[in-house]
Amino acid sequence: MLTLGAEVVVTSRKAAEVEETCKELSTLGGKVHGMAADVSSKEGREALVKFVQGLWDGKLDGLVNNVGTNVRKAIHEASEEEYHNMMRTNIDSCWFLCKMCKPLLERSSYGSVVNISSAAGLRSTGTGSVYAMTKAAMVQLTKNLACEWGPLGIRVNCVCPWMARTPLLEEAVKNNPQQLEDVKHATPLARLGEPEDTAAAVAFLCMPAAAYITGQVISVDGGLYAQGFRGPCVPDPKL
């Protein structure tokens, strides 16, 4: 987005992370604003929206809901607090920020929302039922809001990445790095995703070039969703 000249706001719970990210992104062009806020809480969301309102005279061209966390556990191992924390972080933040930003998006000539779901929101990927539920909810929220807000000229789309090289993934597999090789083998493009792969799809959906695209769920997954199962009729070039 920044390389295309956009002006953006980034947020995270920790002020130090926001400052570091803004410094890094400022070299790409555009203009970066940062604010520390916990958007899994009502207070954090209210503070963030108030900050955004003060930047662009109460107008917002694009909202990207990219907040997420996961605790990879089977249903009988997940605690009640882990359940509620994932719900608050992954889906509550998305639903409430959409609701709160609606007036700002309406004032834009090309308001756009992009919700970042996951391959786990479309099929079972072994990442845990709670995480999968939250990401599936984002998919359905996207479709419903696209229809609800269509007459207002606000587009709503969803991007579903597969495993990408992020700090969250690195933490999840640190005890068993072999998982990453298994992922590569199961993916038709035979590699992990990169953050830039997802970012490119998000940027496109926010642009005027995507002005007639809404209610769509786009998998950025190296072909994982298309294959269903990579059976023996698909040769492995490494063999």
Side-chain angles (χ1 to χ4, degrees):
M1 297 294 290
L2 288 167
T3 57
L4 299 172
E7 186 173 349
V8 303
V9 172
V10 297
T11 188
S12 177
R13 289 187 176 100
K14 299 178 181 178
E17 289 182 354
V18 173
E19 183 178 354
E20 181 181 351
T21 300
C22 288
K23 184 178 180 180
E24 180 181 343
L25 294 178
S26 63
T27 63
L28 299 178
K31 189 173 182 180
V32 188
H33 306 273
M35 180 188 177
D38 180 359
V39 295
S40 70
S41 71
K42 179 181 179 181
E43 296 77 16
R45 292 188 291 267
E46 288 176 343
L48 177 62
V49 173
K50 183 177 180 180
F51 179 74
V52 172
Q53 286 175 323
L55 286 175
W56 301 304
D57 298 322
K59 183 177 73 171
L60 181 64
D61 295 331
L63 169 64
V64 179
N65 286 301
N66 188 35
V67 177
T69 190
N70 188 19
V71 178
R72 298 186 179 203
K73 291 183 178 179
I75 190 169
H76 62 279
E77 296 175 339
S79 70
E80 185 172 343
E81 178 53 34
E82 288 168 339
Y83 171 90
H84 288 299
N85 183 53
M86 280 187 270
M87 287 292 178
R88 284 191 301 264
T89 303
N90 296 2
I91 189 60
D92 287 4
S93 66
C94 179
W95 189 88
F96 281 107
L97 283 173
C98 285
K99 177 182 176 70
M100 296 168 73
C101 289
K102 177 178 175 286
L104 286 69
L105 292 162
E106 283 186 274
R107 296 188 184 102
S108 171
S109 300
Y110 38 88
S112 173
V113 177
V114 181
N115 296 321
I116 310 300
S117 177
S118 167
L122 300 174
R123 294 189 176 186
S124 175
T125 61
T127 51
S129 60
V130 183
Y131 180 78
M133 288 165 60
T134 63
K135 292 303 183 178
M138 293 181 79
V139 170
Q140 193 63 7
L141 173 63
T142 296
K143 295 176 181 179
N144 278 265
L145 283 186
C147 297
E148 186 175 322
W149 288 357
L152 303 175
I154 303 172
R155 298 182 299 106
V156 187
N157 291 290
C158 186
V159 171
C160 295
W162 179 217
M163 288 193 181
R165 297 180 190 274
T166 65
L168 187 65
L169 176 63
E170 291 174 1
E171 177 66 22
V173 302
K174 66 180 182 180
N175 294 327
N176 182 15
Q178 177 59 36
Q179 293 177 72
L180 299 184
E181 295 305 313
D182 295 340
V183 167
K184 292 177 186 178
H185 184 73
T187 304
L189 283 184
R191 70 171 176 86
L192 294 176
E194 300 293 342
E196 293 79 7
D197 295 323
T198 302
V202 173
F204 169 70
L205 291 171
C206 289
M207 292 171 61
Y212 203 54
I213 299 175
T214 193
Q216 299 306 301
V217 180
I218 299 177
S219 293
V220 182
D221 63 1
L224 182 79
Y225 185 78
Q227 72 171 348
F229 174 69
R230 192 183 188 189
C233 292
V234 180
D236 189 335
K238 297 180 181 179
L239 297 180

